[in-house]
Amino acid sequence: MKVTEHIIKAKGKTLFSFELIPPQKGRSIQELYDNIDPLMEFKPPFIDVTTSREEYIYIDRDGLLDKKLTRMRPGSVGICASITHKYEVDTIPHVLCGGFTKEETEYLLVDCHYLGIDNVMALRGDAMKEEKYFKPTNGGHCYASDLVEQIVNMNNGQFLHEVVETDNKSNFCIGVAGYPEKHMEAPSMDADIRRLKQKVDAGADYVVTQMFFDNKRYFDFVENARNAGITVPIIPGIKPLAVKRHLQLLPQVFKLDIPDVLVKEVEKCKTNADARQVGVEFAIQQSKELMAAGVPVLHYYSMGKSSNIQAIAKEVF
Ligand SMILES: Cc1cc2nc3c(=O)[nH]c(=O)nc-3n(C[C@H](O)[C@H](O)[C@H](O)COP(=O)(O)OP(=O)(O)OC[C@H]3O[C@@H](n4cnc5c(N)ncnc54)[C@H](O)[C@@H]3O)c2cc1C
């Protein structure tokens, strides 16, 4: 079922969902299941599975370093299929511009269609670890809006090189990313909102936001988006702060602010376990306020560990 259909079916009740990261190559999918199991009692209608950019590794060959490009966490679509099969829940693979040619994207979407996946999250992807800025892949898309266009075209039977007359067209529901504190590369919030509108006009059906710790940022973002004519659901993304180092790391990586009240509480913590507890309590308050405001879904970034999400969901759902 589509995310938008789940939202309509919920009739105003806030839904619970979360995002998972594939295990590192060679590790077991059981690790993921162990993290999903405790969260199933909160009945997520859908679960997102991220896709990671490829990266360079250096292999020692008799003293000479061989530089190879590889993806450390492959398998997002396969993981989606496995989770759907095991838990009977909708899954959403993240589809990236970066690291994929348009042809590869087409094949990936064909796989998703055959597997009965109804939703995809269309993203540009981050820059590769070694690169300061995002560089489009040769033969790939530059922006998420271009990727949305490709998915919409495929939904209409228009593949990259041929139009296919068929009764078996894909009908993907398309999610895109939104940034309550502005995407780091955008020159202004207004410019970023115009880019978001471009993605929605291209055919995106819903938006999931980057993490934020100050709900006002989300409420202002939604207001700005609505004023710009964006009418699709805007799902807040929540990341519970989990270790003391997140105070530096999250603002550095995601260019976001952490409210001083949370900073002070975390600074008082002696251990990471204390900080994790503060993060959980803060996320509970944040979630309750968002729920009271009638958000369609609370979407949690689990970063591979579910115990804090479980503690939050127990209090909120
Ligand atoms: C909910 C969510 C899930 C994510 N999942 C993943 C994941 O699984 N894997 C991963 O690698 N990353 C993921 N990311 C991170 C995301 O890939 C990065 O934030 C990336 O830098 C931007 O992606 P985007 O889809 O928002 O890009 P875009 O919408 O393409 O925007 C990128 C930047 O370009 C600007 N822009 C857009 N269109 C144009 C244009 N035509 N001309 C000029 N400027 C333009 C925008 O304002 C923005 O600054 C996720 C982010 C979110 C919020």
Side-chain angles (χ1 to χ4, degrees):
M1 212 161 115
K2 294 182 172 196
V3 166
T4 45
E5 291 168 341
H6 281 295
I7 291 172
I8 290 166
K9 198 174 148 214
K11 294 191 178 131
K13 184 173 168 270
T14 302
L15 300 168
F16 165 76
S17 84
F18 58 95
E19 175 186 291
L20 294 166
I21 300 172
Q24 287 218 343
K25 199 158 43 184
R27 297 185 74 107
S28 165
I29 195 170
Q30 187 59 43
E31 287 177 20
L32 276 189
Y33 295 158
D34 291 344
N35 278 297
I36 297 172
D37 286 342
L39 299 179
M40 290 316 287
E41 69 170 288
F42 307 107
K43 303 198 173 11
F46 54 88
I47 298 171
D48 278 60
V49 179
T50 64
T51 296
S52 60
R53 285 297 311 264
E54 71 282 31
E55 56 189 276
Y56 286 109
I57 54 166
Y58 296 87
I59 302 161
D60 191 341
R61 296 202 198 280
D62 301 329
L64 288 175
L65 290 182
D66 207 358
K67 188 176 174 188
K68 291 283 178 200
L69 201 54
T70 189
R71 211 174 284 276
M72 303 306 277
R73 294 174 183 270
S76 305
V77 170
I79 289 168
C80 282
S82 303
I83 294 174
T84 296
H85 180 67
K86 184 170 163 65
Y87 297 97
E88 292 180 354
V89 63
D90 280 305
T91 45
I92 307 174
H94 289 191
V95 181
L96 302 184
C97 303
F100 295 87
T101 64
K102 294 173 198 170
E103 272 79 10
E104 285 165 339
T105 298
E106 184 166 285
Y107 305 148
L108 187 144
L109 292 168
V110 167
D111 282 344
C112 290
H113 182 43
Y114 285 148
L115 288 165
I117 289 171
D118 293 327
N119 304 276
V120 290
M121 185 80 189
L123 298 147
R124 187 195 70 178
D126 281 323
M128 283 173 67
K129 269 188 196 148
E130 299 75 7
E131 292 172 350
K132 213 160 178 221
Y133 302 104
F134 176 86
K135 280 195 201 145
T137 296
N138 266 342
H141 293 296
C142 296
Y143 296 108
S145 53
D146 306 326
L147 176 56
V148 172
E149 233 170 79
Q150 182 180 1
I151 302 166
V152 168
N153 284 343
M154 199 175 134
N155 281 348
N156 291 325
Q158 193 184 324
F159 288 75
L160 286 174
H161 308 303
E162 59 269 281
V163 175
V164 179
E165 290 297 331
T166 170
D167 296 335
N168 183 37
K169 284 180 192 149
S170 62
N171 188 15
F172 293 115
C173 175
I174 306 167
V176 289
Y179 300 85
E181 299 184 52
K182 181 180 92 60
H183 184 259
M184 61 185 90
E185 295 161 29
S188 70
M189 180 54 101
D190 286 348
D192 207 24
I193 295 264
R194 283 197 297 278
R195 295 304 182 188
L196 180 62
K197 173 88 165 45
Q198 206 174 327
K199 292 194 273 195
V200 174
D201 289 347
D205 298 289
Y206 68 98
V207 176
V208 182
T209 76
Q210 183 56 278
M211 65 182 77
F212 57 90
F213 290 89
D214 180 352
N215 284 349
K216 188 171 180 311
R217 301 291 183 112
Y218 169 80
F219 294 132
D220 288 350
F221 174 69
V222 173
E223 193 181 329
N224 286 340
R226 298 300 179 230
N227 289 340
I230 296 168
T231 56
V232 299
I234 301 179
I235 297 173
I238 308 288
K239 154 109 190 85
L241 188 139
V243 287
K244 287 188 79 171
R245 211 172 110 64
H246 274 164
L247 281 189
Q248 288 78 42
L249 204 63
L250 298 178
Q252 191 189 336
V253 175
F254 298 105
K255 306 286 178 278
L256 48 78
D257 282 345
I258 299 186
D260 213 30
V261 53
L262 178 57
V263 174
K264 284 179 178 159
E265 282 307 306
V266 176
E267 279 174 349
K268 276 191 232 159
C269 294
K270 294 216 160 43
T271 64
N272 274 334
D274 295 342
R276 193 174 174 83
Q277 187 52 33
V278 167
V280 165
E281 281 161 22
F282 190 85
I284 290 170
Q285 294 317 315
Q286 216 190 335
S287 303
K288 283 184 173 169
E289 190 186 15
L290 289 164
M291 196 186 239
V295 298
V297 184
L298 284 166
H299 184 72
Y300 293 92
Y301 294 109
S302 82
M303 305 289 192
K305 293 272 177 268
S306 65
S307 59
N308 52 356
I309 310 294
Q310 187 189 13
I312 296 160
K314 261 199 162 73
E315 295 298 320
V316 178
F317 289 92

